[in-house]
Structures are given as structure tokens and as C-alpha cells.
Amino acid sequence: MSHFFGSLGDDVVQIIQRSPLTVTTDTWVLAAIEKMSQTQSSYVLVFDQQKLVGIFTERDLVLATAAGTDLAELTIATLMTQSLVTLRSTDIQDIFTVINQFQQHQIRHLPILDEQGTVMGVITAESVYQLLLKSSLAAIETQTANLQQEAAQREALMQTLHQSESNFQTLVKNMPGMIYRYLPDESGVGRFLYVSAGAYELLELQPETILQDAQAVWSLIHPDDWISLQSS
């Protein structure tokens, strides 16, 4: 996994949502929810005198609704999450820096601060997922292209080998006599590894017969010639 995503530091910075939805602490909850709906945002950052003091997310809304809370007369400061987790952009080494924050704190929205502590934007779990998916697909496409290139190279090599074999067979066919490759053993009989088609013209034996039984050749040799043939 790290092989695929190890170079995503710059991409992580690019997925920071630079214009997050913001409200002040005295904003009515229903007004904040309406803004979230209009902008299709899953969160809103809450500021007090230009200082980030909290975040209100869809999860906060679900919890409040499940508890039967009457939202009509509440300001966002009442329901926002105040124990805010943030991350400085200079601390982002790679995608896993962000993922670790999500997992450690069980959050889905991470405000990103610059060196002065000013809010740069927000990274969401959804944007991280999309980045990982994009990187995964790119890695798969690269691997597929490499495999296709290797397959093409193997095919070219096989064609070259087939052509070489064809040239060799043509050369052997036009040469007089029998061409063979023989591997001796301790018994003195050994075995033939290759026998050309000229074997039939010379010995009246099919190459397949000789390959299966070397004795078929040796039985044709006169006993007086056997010793000198073995010594050669």
C-alpha cells in the first residue's frame, strides 16, 4: 500500500477545501443547517471573533435529532463540537498523516492550519477516499501497462524463437546425412536428444523411434565397429 501512496504529500495539500462553510457562534442552528443544505456541505466551521472555536457536522445533527432536541431556539454554539482536532499543513508528511488523525480521534473532518495558525481549509474523509481511489486506479493502470508490455516482449521473443527453429529445421533438411545430439551414460547406450529427418534416409529409422530407443541405432552397427565408435 505504501508503494502506491507514498508520494501523495503534494496531492494531500490539493484536496484541502480552501473555502469551507463558516458561521459565527450566535448563528441559529436551523440557519446553519440551511446553509449546509444549500452548499451540500457536511460541516460548518464555527468562529468567534475570527477565531476557530468549533465545528458542527452532520453527525452532530443526527445525534441531536435522535435525542429529541428542539433545534428551533438553539444557536450553533450549543451543539457544535468544541474539542476541535486540527492539523498544521507543515505537519502533513503524506496521506497517512491525515488518515492517522481520522482514526485516532474518530473524526471525518479535519481543519488545516497554516504556520500562523490561520485556517487554510478542511480535509474530509470523503476527499481522502477519493484521493486514495484515484491513486489506486492510477497504480493499477500502470501495472496493467507494464504487464501488457512484458507480454508483448514475450510474444516477440517467442516469434523470434519460432523463426530460429524454422530456420534451423530448413538448414537441417537441406543437409546430407543425419544430424543428432547424443547424451551417453554409464551403460554405454545413452540416449538421443535430437535426431534430424535424415535418419530415415541413412538408417531407415524414424527420428521418433531413435529418440525413444537408442538401441535401435546401435543394433545396426557391426560388432567390429562398436568399440571404435564408443571411443569416439
Side-chain angles (χ1 to χ4, degrees):
M1 188 172 183
S2 60
H3 174 70
F4 289 162
F5 307 130
S7 60
L8 291 181
D10 293 339
D11 290 335
V12 172
V13 175
Q14 293 176 10
I15 65 171
I16 298 175
Q17 298 178 2
R18 301 283 179 167
S19 300
L21 182 63
T22 63
V23 296
T24 57
T25 53
D26 58 352
T27 302
W28 296 109
V29 170
L30 293 181
I33 294 174
E34 183 178 0
K35 286 186 176 182
M36 292 170 61
S37 176
Q38 291 173 348
T39 58
Q40 296 184 338
S41 176
S42 60
Y43 68 93
V44 59
L45 297 182
V46 183
F47 284 79
D48 182 17
Q49 297 182 356
Q50 299 185 342
K51 179 182 178 181
L52 179 63
V53 293
I55 185 172
F56 180 77
T57 70
E58 291 176 337
R59 181 166 61 180
D60 295 320
L61 176 58
V62 169
L63 292 175
T65 303
T69 304
D70 184 6
L71 307 179
E73 301 298 328
L74 297 179
T75 62
I76 201 69
T78 307
L79 296 181
M80 70 179 185
T81 298
Q82 300 183 37
S83 55
L84 202 59
V85 178
T86 61
L87 181 66
R88 290 186 181 271
S89 61
T90 51
D91 293 331
I92 299 177
Q93 298 178 357
D94 53 34
I95 188 66
F96 298 106
T97 305
V98 177
I99 293 176
N100 288 339
Q101 292 295 312
F102 282 141
Q103 294 178 339
Q104 179 180 351
H105 302 285
Q106 295 295 299
I107 58 176
R108 296 182 58 83
H109 305 83
L110 182 63
I112 305 300
L113 311 180
D114 61 17
E115 295 180 358
Q116 288 73 40
T118 303
V119 176
M120 294 176 56
V122 176
I123 294 179
T124 67
E126 175 64 21
S127 62
V128 170
Y129 169 77
Q130 292 297 330
L131 177 60
L132 293 178
L133 179 61
K134 176 182 176 182
S135 181
S136 296
L137 292 176
I140 291 173
E141 290 176 356
T142 299
Q143 288 190 336
T144 301
N146 291 338
L147 290 175
Q148 290 175 341
Q149 183 178 9
E150 291 176 3
Q153 291 174 345
R154 286 195 298 269
E155 178 64 23
L157 177 59
M158 291 301 298
Q159 291 180 357
T160 300
L161 291 175
H162 288 321
Q163 185 61 48
S164 298
E165 175 67 16
S166 176
N167 294 340
F168 175 73
Q169 293 297 339
T170 300
L171 177 63
V172 169
K173 184 178 180 180
N174 294 328
M175 291 183 66
M178 181 180 78
I179 297 177
Y180 64 89
R181 184 181 180 190
Y182 175 71
L183 180 65
D185 58 20
E186 295 180 356
S187 69
V189 177
R191 60 191 180 96
F192 287 89
L193 303 178
Y194 173 80
V195 179
S196 69
Y200 186 78
E201 181 179 351
L202 182 65
L203 304 174
E204 295 186 351
L205 292 174
Q206 293 293 345
E208 293 80 6
T209 302
I210 299 174
L211 290 172
Q212 292 176 2
D213 182 14
Q215 187 63 38
V217 174
W218 305 138
S219 64
L220 300 177
I221 300 174
H222 192 278
D224 293 341
D225 298 327
W226 178 251
I227 297 177
S228 61
L229 181 63
Q230 281 186 314
S231 62
S232 64

